Amino acid sequence: MIDVKIIRKPKNEGTAPAIKTGGTAYGGMAVKEAAHAAKADIAEQAKEAAHAAEADHAKKADLSGNAERAKYAEEAGHAKEADHAKMADDSDRWDNRQFDDYMDQPVRKGDHVQFASVETDSIRSAGTFVDGLLGEGFKLWRDEDGVTYLCIDKLTVRQTMTVLELLIEKMRSVGGMICVSAANGKIKAVSEQDGSYYIEFEQDNTFEAHDLMRCQTFSGGQMKHYWVEVAETDTKGVKIAKTEFTGALPEVSDEVVLMGNTENRQRQNIILISATEDGQPRIDVMDGVKAKNFKDCLRARLGNLDGINDARFPADNQPRGNGLYSDNAYLRGTFLLVTGEDIKTKFEITEGKIASSVSALRQDFATDKGYLNNPSFDEGLSKWLTENETVFWLVGNKWIWANDKVLTKKGDGASVTKDDGRVVVRIRNKYITQKNASLKSVPPMNTNSNGKKEALPVYLSFFYRCAGEGTLKVRFENVDKTGFENFNSLEVEEVLAPTNGYKQYTCNGLWNGTGDFKLSFTGDIYLYMLILSTDKIESLTYKYRTLFEQSEKLVKIAAQNFDKDGRVLAESGIMVKAEGSGIYAQGPDGKLALIGVAVEETDAEGYTRTVIKLLADNIKLEGLVTANGNFRILPDGSIEAKNGKFGGEVNAETGYIGGFAISGNHIGVSSRVLQPDGSYKVVDDRDGLFLYDTMIGFNAKDRQAIFGTWHSLGQPMLTRLVDTATDYTDSNGKKWGFLPKYGIIFDIENSMSGNFAFAGKGSGALNGFVDGFRFDKVKVDKANTIYDVEIKDSNRLIVACAVSNAGIALPRLPAMRSTLGIGQDTPFAFRLTVTSDLGAGDFVIFGRNKNKNSKQETPWDKEDYPLLTTWNGEQWGDMTMGQGDTVELLLVYDPERTAQIDGFSTQYTARIINRQN
């Protein structure tokens, strides 16, 4: 019989010496000693299997019933045979069968094995197999398309061989170097023409102007070499200046080849195949050959890499030996390393290292932001406590071993694992808790006026993926409220539904720095980046999440930028965002250079637009720059365009822009006046716009508006508005304007913070009057209530009181600062008129006072209420207003005042300057 025991195993920060089950402790040595006994028990249960026949003593012990015989299985002699019981998992396959039903001959590696038939898709020789002419070994195989192949060294056919198609390949050899390019030729004739050589080829000419033509031969111990630029071409040959030849001269039978072009980008690429006596066979792919050298032109090399020096690789690990060197590599299939690992395995290991770096980055951010220790679980469950349930499978009160491990089944619990590339903690119907002593820190608490400490609001944030619905509970256990003002400690309970991916969870409550943090879930949940902080929850929302996700993507993409010490090189890499991707480089000063591609939203016609973005301090474009054939930047710097819109600085001495003439260092309305000599001169019109470097103005008959920074008759001015125009003459000969005239019209409204038609410093002098006509009406319609009033649109308040024992409180200091749009230290004096409406009841006006409300509190004894003072320097806590009464007050804020009246400060006062009743 197989017994099942469920063991609850608490996890703690240490390592338990033994696992306790039913009061019995199994230590490390006990587990090892029990191994063979457990295996012998398995052998006893598997006595019907063929392998169990080997355990003869164990079988005898079973038949005789004498348990003492089973000791042989525990000891060295038969314990070795009992090891076969590991294979008893497959015993059901051997039911009622004998060994020789399936195996009647030796089948070891060195045995000669005979089979009646074998079905397989591949047979190959032992050791290494390499396909092709220069390969080794033999192989018969079938590929993915069902085509079969046979590769051997020799084939003997004793009778008939039927071949539907026979392809015989012969190996050929070419010594030296082969150049594959767009042009070549063999010189037929050479003649001189006006300081140049005209070279005619045996075949049609394939060279073009600005091609770099090269000849290099070695014969009789002498090397002939020239590398020259083609000036002109025709169908038969080329023309080259004599000055191009500095040594050897062109001769009949010279073989020449194209090796670059000084202007045409499409003719700057070649392929060189070398098999020379230098012992460095190779194939080179060159691109960008625009001069008589190969500097920075090697794009790829296959073969011997000796001699390549690339600053992007460490000085002590430059490319060498046979291999592949290239700008990019796109490889498919299976790749085997010299260590025996395939490339997939190796990359998985590398990605594990990268993931560790990313986790460390997340840990730095998380640890810096909260009070919990190990909030990202990168150190496992260190600093955390939990409880796990595990099922141990037993036979005869002994553990079952499988693959050198005790056979178990995990139950409910909490454990650290990896999910979607993240280090997370998985909680299944259990909890995690962190003792107060294990917290990284606790926030300092403030003490109130009663001498008691006050708990602080804390915010909890984490990312989670819910795999099975359950109830989330978050709380502090064993909270000590001694010495604290009474409060309700953080306690959250919420049902979470399954999610498709990771989401952010946030909650908040009060905490006094005591107690143990506990998070439990009754379902199945994965979570990470558990942050408990007194910062506002907004500081842990999207911007940190975005930073983490982008950091992970950039590290994974730029994994090749790790240096030999494991540090990430942040100077360059690949940037991937939702709106596009690009290649970037960033200097130590934070400046960024970017080449990016993106697909933007559809335009007005519904077409998707693709864009390429360039970002840098300097962008260098070499060669002729054109755009859709409508725009050109010429070599002399001039621009040709069909239309233009310019932003920034435009310098012009004359011409027209938008219908306005450019002349005399200004722009304005002008006319082209014919001069006696037949030419035209641009002259300003009297009326219209005029623009100088210090002003802009508009003229009309008897009307003018000027804005700028100029002087008029020595007086500095910013704005001048003049309107003396008339369109009507009365019977006395007096001229008038028929319609009303407005110099400035304001319409400033709909702001919750203040509507200012004009504001600033300075005085006003006007041959007229300036006044406002708006008032605000305050309704007092709730008895036993004092209304706080604010000045919004007017300094005239009409109070309509319809109840008894009620009134208003004068504007508080923060509200006045908001109304005036001034700072905290700005002094002010503001005139306020309060009138009791006709037919209204009596009401009171409160300044700062010590009057108590119905709760016996003194809510108006605060310094942001003005102290109500009289004309003789006394202070009134309040004053009563009857029907039709009016009082004028001067609200004064003087931060330099230190004097007091009846124990009240006098920095903010409401001074009665006029009262009528």
Side-chain angles (χ1 to χ4, degrees):
M1 178 176 292
I2 298 179
D3 300 326
V4 177
K5 290 190 178 180
I6 299 179
I7 301 175
R8 297 179 181 271
K9 182 183 68 173
K11 286 191 177 180
N12 52 37
E13 298 179 25
T15 303
I19 300 175
K20 295 183 178 180
T21 63
T24 302
Y26 296 93
M29 290 299 296
V31 171
K32 294 180 180 178
E33 292 175 0
H36 289 295
K39 295 174 183 177
D41 283 340
I42 298 171
E44 199 171 271
Q45 298 295 327
K47 58 188 176 182
E48 294 182 4
H51 289 296
E54 303 286 347
D56 54 337
H57 286 70
K59 184 174 181 181
K60 292 177 181 179
D62 181 58
L63 294 173
S64 65
N66 189 350
E68 292 297 323
R69 295 282 184 90
K71 290 182 180 179
Y72 287 106
E74 295 181 358
E75 297 177 0
H78 294 290
K80 176 184 271 187
E81 299 293 330
D83 287 344
H84 289 290
K86 286 184 179 180
M87 306 302 294
D89 291 340
D90 296 327
S91 61
D92 57 334
R93 300 181 183 177
W94 294 85
D95 288 346
N96 302 317
R97 300 184 186 277
Q98 298 297 321
F99 180 83
D100 56 7
D101 289 340
Y102 289 100
M103 202 68 68
D104 58 357
Q105 63 176 322
V107 290
R108 293 167 298 183
K109 291 183 177 179
D111 294 330
H112 296 282
V113 184
Q114 298 180 8
F115 293 110
S117 65
V118 176
E119 294 183 5
T120 180
D121 285 336
S122 176
I123 297 178
R124 51 159 288 184
S125 58
T128 302
F129 169 76
V130 179
D131 192 16
L133 180 66
L134 302 179
E136 58 180 303
F138 72 86
K139 185 176 181 181
L140 171 63
W141 74 98
R142 179 168 57 188
D143 66 9
E144 297 176 353
D145 299 325
V147 179
T148 55
Y149 298 85
L150 174 63
C151 182
I152 56 178
D153 293 330
K154 295 182 179 181
L155 178 64
T156 300
V157 181
R158 292 191 176 93
Q159 294 187 19
T160 303
M161 181 174 70
T162 302
V163 180
L164 299 182
E165 181 180 355
L166 181 63
L167 176 64
I168 301 177
E169 293 186 357
K170 180 180 179 180
M171 183 170 64
R172 296 176 176 85
S173 173
V174 178
M177 177 185 296
I178 297 176
C179 176
V180 180
S181 66
N184 60 65
K186 187 174 183 180
I187 298 179
K188 177 181 180 181
V190 179
S191 59
E192 297 185 23
Q193 296 181 2
D194 301 327
S196 300
Y197 288 113
Y198 178 75
I199 299 174
E200 183 179 352
F201 299 112
E202 293 181 354
Q203 71 278 14
D204 290 341
N205 174 38
T206 55
F207 288 93
E208 296 181 3
H210 305 293
D211 278 351
L212 296 175
M213 189 178 74
R214 183 169 179 174
C215 172
Q216 181 170 320
T217 59
F218 187 84
S219 177
Q222 300 292 326
M223 186 181 74
K224 182 176 183 179
H225 169 268
Y226 54 81
W227 199 353
V228 295
E229 182 177 357
V230 174
E232 300 176 17
T233 66
D234 56 28
T235 58
K236 294 184 178 181
V238 297
K239 189 175 183 180
I240 303 173
K242 289 184 177 180
T243 54
E244 287 287 314
F245 297 89
T246 57
L249 299 179
E251 295 176 322
V252 174
S253 297
D254 283 352
E255 293 188 4
V256 294
V257 65
L258 170 65
M259 280 197 177
N261 186 290
T262 59
E263 294 189 3
N264 189 344
R265 184 71 178 81
Q266 303 299 321
R267 298 177 67 82
Q268 294 177 357
N269 51 82
I270 57 176
I271 298 176
L272 297 178
I273 303 175
S274 303
T276 55
E277 295 180 354
D278 59 1
Q280 297 182 9
R282 59 195 179 271
I283 300 175
D284 289 344
V285 177
M286 302 284 187
D287 193 14
V289 183
K290 55 185 177 181
K292 299 172 186 177
N293 59 69
F294 296 131
K295 180 177 175 58
D296 298 327
C297 297
L298 181 60
R299 301 275 65 84
R301 173 175 290 183
L302 176 63
N304 192 285
L305 307 182
D306 293 348
I308 296 178
N309 290 286
D310 193 331
R312 288 167 290 191
F313 297 99
D316 58 350
N317 195 15
Q318 287 290 308
R320 63 184 182 276
N322 292 312
L324 170 65
Y325 168 87
S326 67
D327 291 343
N328 302 287
Y330 296 86
L331 307 175
R332 298 188 301 172
T334 300
F335 304 92
L336 200 64
L337 304 177
V338 70
T339 59
E341 300 171 289
D342 62 49
I343 208 74
K344 178 181 178 181
T345 304
K346 191 65 176 178
F347 279 178
E348 287 174 351
I349 297 172
T350 305
E351 288 177 359
K353 294 179 181 178
I354 296 171
S356 298
S357 300
V358 174
S359 298
L361 177 64
R362 185 190 300 123
Q363 174 77 356
D364 290 343
F365 276 98
T367 303
D368 190 45
K369 282 291 174 185
Y371 300 111
L372 296 174
N373 244 324
N374 189 22
S376 293
F377 306 100
D378 291 303
E379 300 174 16
L381 285 176
S382 174
K383 308 298 182 182
W384 295 94
L385 299 178
T386 187
E387 180 182 76
N388 287 332
E389 293 180 358
T390 305
V391 177
F392 287 76
W393 299 94
L394 305 177
V395 175
N397 202 29
K398 295 182 180 180
W399 293 340
I400 298 177
W401 289 73
N403 297 326
D404 294 328
K405 295 180 181 178
V406 177
L407 184 61
T408 63
K409 177 183 178 183
K410 288 187 178 179
D412 296 336
S415 60
V416 174
T417 183
K418 272 199 171 185
D419 184 56
D420 195 21
R422 301 176 173 90
V423 176
V424 299
V425 62
R426 183 185 184 184
I427 301 175
R428 290 185 295 179
N429 198 26
K430 286 296 177 181
Y431 66 88
I432 56 173
T433 184
Q434 189 164 119
K435 293 291 187 181
N436 191 270
S438 297
L439 295 174
K440 190 187 72 172
S441 63
V442 296
M445 303 295 159
N446 296 324
T447 304
N448 60 20
S449 58
N450 297 326
K452 289 190 175 182
K453 294 182 179 179
E454 294 182 341
L456 294 176
V458 291
Y459 304 90
L460 178 68
S461 172
F462 59 85
F463 292 96
Y464 75 96
R465 180 176 72 82
C466 184
E469 181 176 314
T471 301
L472 173 73
K473 294 182 179 180
V474 181
R475 64 189 298 252
F476 284 94
E477 295 184 329
N478 306 318
V479 173
D480 184 4
K481 297 184 179 180
T482 305
F484 282 84
E485 199 75 57
N486 189 36
F487 70 99
N488 294 324
S489 182
L490 169 69
E491 188 160 355
V492 175
E493 182 171 341
E494 183 178 347
V495 175
L496 299 182
T499 61
N500 293 327
Y502 278 86
K503 294 185 177 181
Q504 187 179 34
Y505 183 87
T506 59
C507 61
N508 61 81
L510 295 177
W511 182 43
N512 67 348
T514 69
D516 306 325
F517 176 82
K518 183 176 182 180
L519 184 150
S520 64
F521 191 69
T522 60
D524 190 0
I525 193 172
Y526 300 77
L527 60 88
Y528 72 97
M529 206 167 72
L530 196 64
I531 299 179
L532 178 69
S533 174
T534 51
D535 290 342
K536 287 187 176 181
I537 205 65
E538 286 78 9
S539 66
L540 298 175
T541 54
Y542 186 73
K543 67 177 182 179
Y544 288 111
R545 182 183 179 191
T546 302
L547 179 58
F548 292 143
E549 291 179 351
Q550 290 177 345
S551 296
E552 290 179 5
K553 289 181 180 178
L554 288 176
V555 171
K556 289 179 180 177
I557 293 172
Q560 70 276 13
N561 284 345
F562 284 101
D563 65 13
K564 64 180 181 181
D565 298 321
R567 294 186 295 264
V568 178
L569 303 176
E571 285 78 10
S572 63
I574 301 175
M575 181 180 294
V576 178
K577 292 185 178 181
E579 61 269 22
S581 58
I583 302 173
Y584 73 93
Q586 192 169 22
D589 56 357
K591 289 188 175 181
L592 183 71
L594 171 68
I595 302 176
V597 295
V599 178
E600 294 189 345
E601 296 179 356
T602 54
D603 55 22
E605 288 75 24
Y607 296 105
T608 300
R609 298 175 298 176
T610 58
V611 296
I612 297 177
K613 298 179 181 180
L614 304 178
L615 174 65
D617 289 340
N618 296 291
I619 299 176
K620 298 180 179 179
L621 301 176
E622 303 293 341
L624 180 66
V625 180
T626 63
N628 298 325
N630 298 322
F631 173 84
R632 291 161 53 93
I633 301 177
L634 303 181
D636 62 359
S638 60
I639 297 175
E640 295 180 359
K642 292 184 178 180
N643 297 289
K645 293 182 180 180
F646 299 92
E649 182 178 349
V650 177
N651 296 320
E653 297 180 357
T654 185
Y656 288 87
I657 180 169
F660 298 97
I662 303 174
S663 64
N665 295 323
H666 77 284
I667 298 175
V669 177
S670 60
S671 300
R672 298 173 71 241
V673 180
L674 181 62
Q675 301 299 305
D677 60 359
S679 63
Y680 286 90
K681 181 179 181 181
V682 178
V683 297
D684 292 337
D685 287 343
R686 177 173 179 80
D687 297 335
L689 173 144
F690 56 91
L691 174 64
Y692 288 83
D693 59 348
T694 58
M695 72 173 75
I696 181 173
F698 305 88
N699 278 333
K701 180 174 172 51
D702 298 325
R703 305 177 72 198
Q704 186 179 68
I706 302 177
F707 306 91
T709 56
W710 85 102
H711 290 73
S712 178
L713 300 178
Q715 296 295 322
M717 290 190 177
L718 298 176
T719 303
R720 181 167 68 192
L721 304 176
V722 177
D723 188 350
T724 60
T726 62
D727 50 20
Y728 170 72
T729 303
D730 62 16
S731 57
N732 298 321
K734 179 74 171 176
K735 293 185 176 182
W736 302 91
F738 185 76
L739 298 174
K741 294 183 179 183
Y742 297 92
I744 302 176
I745 297 177
F746 298 107
D747 186 0
I748 312 298
E749 55 185 343
N750 298 329
S751 172
M752 296 178 63
S753 304
N755 298 295
F756 305 98
F758 54 88
K761 295 182 179 180
S763 302
L766 187 67
N767 185 12
F769 74 95
V770 177
D771 202 355
F773 54 81
R774 180 166 179 166
F775 66 88
D776 284 339
K777 190 168 239 184
V778 180
K779 292 183 179 182
V780 178
D781 53 7
K782 188 175 181 181
N784 303 317
T785 303
I786 300 299
Y787 291 80
D788 275 355
V789 298
E790 296 182 3
I791 307 302
K792 292 186 177 180
D793 299 311
S794 176
N795 62 340
R796 299 180 180 91
L797 303 181
I798 298 180
V799 181
C801 182
V803 295
S804 60
N805 194 27
I808 65 172
L810 292 172
R812 301 174 76 167
L813 185 55
M816 287 303 301
R817 289 173 177 151
S818 177
T819 297
L820 300 176
I822 58 178
Q824 290 188 348
D825 299 326
T826 305
F828 64 83
F830 183 84
R831 190 161 184 156
L832 175 64
T833 301
V834 181
T835 298
S836 177
D837 203 0
L838 299 176
D842 294 350
F843 67 92
V844 294
I845 298 178
F846 269 27
R848 183 179 178 186
N849 59 58
K850 295 186 178 182
N851 297 344
K852 295 183 178 181
N853 59 13
S854 60
K855 298 180 181 179
Q856 299 303 307
E857 299 170 335
T858 57
W860 300 282
D861 187 13
K862 297 179 180 177
E863 291 195 1
D864 57 359
Y865 282 106
L867 187 66
L868 186 62
T869 62
T870 66
W871 46 90
N872 57 5
E874 298 177 353
Q875 70 88 13
W876 289 355
D878 57 66
M879 60 182 297
T880 302
M881 299 286 288
Q883 176 186 185
D885 288 358
T886 298
V887 63
E888 287 189 294
L889 303 165
L890 192 64
L891 301 180
V892 178
Y893 174 66
D894 185 357
E896 296 182 356
R897 284 192 60 83
T898 58
Q900 294 186 342
I901 300 178
D902 297 338
F904 294 107
S905 66
T906 58
Q907 287 186 339
Y908 183 35
T909 57
R911 306 182 187 185
I912 301 173
I913 57 176
N914 188 17
R915 183 183 183 190
Q916 294 181 355
N917 55 22

